[in-house]
Amino acid sequence: MSEMVPGGNLPLPGGALSVRVPGPLDVCALVTDDSGRVRGDGDFVFYNQPTAPGVRLQGDTLTLEPARLRPGATRVTVVVGAAEPGTPPTRLPAPTLHVTDPHGRALARFTPPPSQRETVLLLAEFYKRGDGWKLRALGQGYADGLAGLARDFGVDVAEDVAEGDTSSTYRRPTAGPPAYAATGGTAPAGRHTTASPRATAPRPAHAPHAPSPAPDPDGFLTLVNPARATAGSPPVSLDARLASAARAHAAAMAAAGRLGTEGADGVSVHQRVTAAGYRYLAMGEHLVSGPRTAAEFVAYCLRTEQARRTLHDPAFTHAASAQATDGRTGSTYWTALWASPFTPDGLARTAAEVVDLTNRERARAGLRALAVDPLLTTAAQAHSADMVARAFYSHTSPEGSRPWDRAAAAGSARRTIGENIACGQRSPAEVVDGWMNSPGHRANILKPAFTHIGVGFEGGGASGTYWTQLFGA
């Protein structure tokens, strides 16, 4: 095995390679040609888009098969950053790259010098030379985060909005960066522009929505409600469905021996919630390892800014927690879930806020406000719910229907149709801000010809939230 230093190179054998970077880190990969630029958003492999031709991410490990990369690909750059957004580099262990061959034999190991201010690190590069592939150790840091790095590679991303984050230690942001896609067209010709979707999800199961109490053997409620009262927030009540989902996710993390919003079974914490029968308008989660008791767990949450923000959030009305122990290491894994239930009135308020924010942007551009169209609203809501239920993220449904098809199926006679979709954003303000910072989506919002709008929202899936704007004229 080779111990590599920055700038070092190593010839690689043929076949699949395993690339692992353990620790409280998020691992990403960028597939490029010799220019160092991606061909499209599909060349960016990360926790919300874990596969590309020849590259697959599972947990802290990338599987790389150079022979199966998309045509023209000559480089794969491995990138790491803190799994917990905002964690200073000095509080992270130095990342160590482990590369093994198809038989599990160790080929290389590389640990770069410690970072002082860089928040994201280009760790290594796999590159083609002649008929073979080589590994180059890099260790180059970026102080402006994953978004700045990705843009340098040609990936169109939107910045995370810290205000809407409800993460805790080592939790991956549901949408970091959030995924967006936009398309527009005029029926029946179907002219459209598209920004590539960035997230797919396993199929969730659904159960009837029915409130129910939950036991509180650890005294979780008696610990969190006084803390919420101190912050001026109303108390939460324990919910059996959230408790069931929390137990399942804590057990999945303990079985895998790692923290994460998705277990080794490929099911996200959000899907566990909807599978337990809880349909939500807002949800937050704490995924933590280490505390031995509920009191220690809640104390940790109150000491940590982002975790404390979730615990104090006045929007949440229900909560539950659970713990599970990894029998191999003795580590305890905690899942706490916070949610507000889906109601028709709540959905209407959420959609109205999206419409209001959209019309404010149009007013700033000197454009007339969009009127809410019930038929477009029906089609938009159906599409958000469909993306959650059938585990896809696209303007095109699995059977091939497009935005104008869905509008017509809902009874709309409008001939010009445009659509914005997004997943992972935690609030109307966050999703509209993201759309306005993306040229394709901004163009739909500020298109003078549009006169009407419908908004859809559904919680669940791998990304947690799915949003749809449907425009018409």
Side-chain angles (χ1 to χ4, degrees):
M1 181 186 70
S2 295
E3 289 279 356
M4 303 187 72
V5 297
N9 291 269
L10 178 71
L12 296 168
L17 299 167
S18 177
V19 182
R20 181 171 179 259
V21 187
L25 302 162
D26 274 327
V27 183
C28 311
L30 291 148
V31 181
T32 65
D33 56 19
D34 285 333
S35 73
R37 304 280 289 180
V38 299
R39 189 173 66 178
D41 292 353
D43 284 345
F44 184 24
V45 177
F46 66 118
Y47 41 78
N48 240 16
Q49 183 171 275
T51 60
V55 186
R56 178 169 56 87
L57 173 64
Q58 186 170 11
D60 60 6
T61 302
L62 284 161
T63 300
L64 173 62
E65 298 180 75
R68 296 185 58 203
L69 293 172
R70 57 120 171 128
T74 57
R75 298 182 189 178
V76 178
T77 303
V78 179
V79 180
V80 296
E84 169 67 9
T87 303
T90 53
R91 290 178 53 192
L92 292 172
T96 298
L97 179 86
H98 301 266
V99 182
T100 57
D101 70 8
H103 305 289
R105 290 190 291 263
L107 297 174
R109 184 167 60 194
F110 170 57
T111 302
S115 297
Q116 296 302 314
R117 59 186 296 268
E118 296 88 350
T119 57
V120 173
L121 191 70
L122 274 68
L123 192 54
E125 181 184 70
F126 294 82
Y127 64 102
K128 188 175 184 180
R129 279 295 179 267
D131 295 329
W133 283 75
K134 301 180 74 174
L135 168 66
R136 178 183 294 121
L138 297 177
Q140 175 187 345
Y142 270 67
D144 55 347
L146 184 60
L149 178 149
R151 289 192 182 101
D152 281 0
F153 278 76
V155 180
D156 178 20
V157 302
E159 293 279 359
D160 274 339
V161 180
E163 185 179 45
D165 191 12
T166 53
S167 60
S168 73
T169 192
Y170 301 161
R171 175 188 170 271
R172 292 175 175 164
T174 302
Y180 295 92
T183 189
T186 301
R191 299 192 304 272
H192 64 280
T193 59
T194 300
S196 299
R198 303 207 187 131
T200 57
R203 180 185 300 271
H206 290 277
H209 178 80
S212 50
D216 187 20
D218 293 323
F220 180 67
L221 200 70
T222 61
L223 294 166
V224 302
N225 276 335
R228 286 174 63 86
T230 300
S233 298
V236 290
S237 60
L238 288 165
D239 185 277
R241 295 158 299 174
L242 294 181
S244 174
R247 286 193 298 270
H249 198 72
M253 291 193 297
R258 61 177 176 85
L259 292 161
T261 57
E262 184 178 289
D265 54 4
V267 180
S268 75
V269 65
H270 312 98
Q271 290 169 311
R272 298 189 202 281
V273 170
T274 54
Y278 193 104
R279 190 180 180 193
Y280 60 84
L281 277 176
M283 180 181 155
E285 61 275 355
H286 292 135
L287 309 177
V288 179
S289 66
R292 294 162 297 178
T293 66
E296 289 182 5
F297 170 65
V298 172
Y300 159 78
C301 293
L302 291 172
R303 289 195 308 269
T304 308
E305 181 180 358
Q306 291 178 336
R308 184 170 61 249
R309 188 186 303 130
T310 300
L311 192 152
H312 286 163
D313 194 328
F316 297 133
T317 59
H318 294 134
S321 71
Q323 60 173 298
T325 301
D326 181 349
R328 298 159 296 187
T329 65
S331 297
T332 302
Y333 290 84
W334 291 83
T335 298
L337 301 176
W338 310 80
S340 59
F342 178 96
T343 64
D345 287 347
L347 176 63
R349 287 192 298 270
T350 297
E353 189 172 349
V354 172
V355 172
D356 178 63
L357 291 167
T358 299
N359 280 332
R360 291 186 195 182
E361 298 294 346
R362 288 178 64 88
R364 291 189 185 100
L367 300 172
R368 61 181 172 178
L370 301 172
V372 174
D373 183 321
L375 298 178
L376 295 181
T377 300
T378 297
Q381 180 60 33
H383 189 55
S384 288
D386 193 31
M387 287 190 289
V388 170
R390 294 201 285 171
F392 73 98
Y393 177 69
S394 175
H395 297 288
T396 304
S397 71
E399 69 273 8
S401 70
R402 307 295 295 273
W404 34 91
D405 301 320
R406 293 189 289 272
S412 174
R414 302 188 186 281
R415 293 185 57 81
T416 301
I417 296 293
E419 183 179 82
N420 287 345
I421 60 174
C423 65
Q425 297 73 21
R426 299 287 181 129
S427 69
E430 185 178 349
V431 73
V432 173
D433 182 68
W435 278 327
M436 287 299 296
N437 282 287
S438 170
H441 311 86
R442 180 186 179 93
N444 270 344
I445 288 173
L446 301 183
K447 185 170 181 176
F450 286 142
T451 58
H452 290 77
I453 186 174
V455 172
F457 168 85
E458 189 73 23
S463 294
T465 59
Y466 290 77
W467 306 81
T468 302
Q469 280 182 318
L470 199 58
F471 304 91

